[in-house]
Amino acid sequence: MPIRLTLRLDFANGHRLGPGKVRLLEAIDEHGSISAAGRALGMSYRRAWLLLDEINRAFTQPAVAGQTGGSGGGGTALTDWGRELVTLYRGLEASSSGAGAGALDRIDAMLNPAETHEIPTK
């Protein structure tokens, strides 16, 4: 498996944005609710809600907003600003991977193929 570059942004206000929170935003956009997004990602509703609360507190605008009513009840959707945040993050991630491709290839070649992180069984 080639090296995968993971990008985490640490902000001056103490908040962070990384692949897990961005993936949660994408899952909400895909599924239309916090609970469905959490299930799709294997996390509890509470964990998903806490992550979203942190995202919304970190920025000047909310990334998600609740929707009310309708035949299927309410739900949660990304705001236009939330979609822009995801797009900006994914673009930054792609440009970082592209800019560092040579270094990543070299580091990958330096890895010991015999070394794994598997835990020995007794």
Side-chain angles (χ1 to χ4, degrees), residues 24 27-28 30-43 45 48 76:
L24 177 60
I28 287 170
E30 180 181 343
H31 297 283
S33 78
I34 297 171
S35 58
R39 278 192 304 274
L41 298 175
M43 71 174 68
Y45 174 85
T76 304

Side-chain angles (χ1 to χ4, degrees), residues 21-78:
K21 288 177 184 168
V22 171
R23 182 62 196 114
L24 177 60
L25 292 174
E26 291 169 332
I28 287 170
D29 199 30
E30 180 181 343
H31 297 283
S33 78
I34 297 171
S35 58
R39 278 192 304 274
L41 298 175
M43 71 174 68
S44 69
Y45 174 85
R46 177 166 169 71
R47 176 74 178 140
W49 189 91
L50 289 171
L51 291 171
L52 289 174
D53 184 55
E54 185 176 337
I55 293 167
N56 282 339
R57 285 184 294 115
F59 296 98
T60 59
Q61 297 183 47
V64 296
Q67 298 176 324
T68 57
S71 61
T76 304
L78 262 60

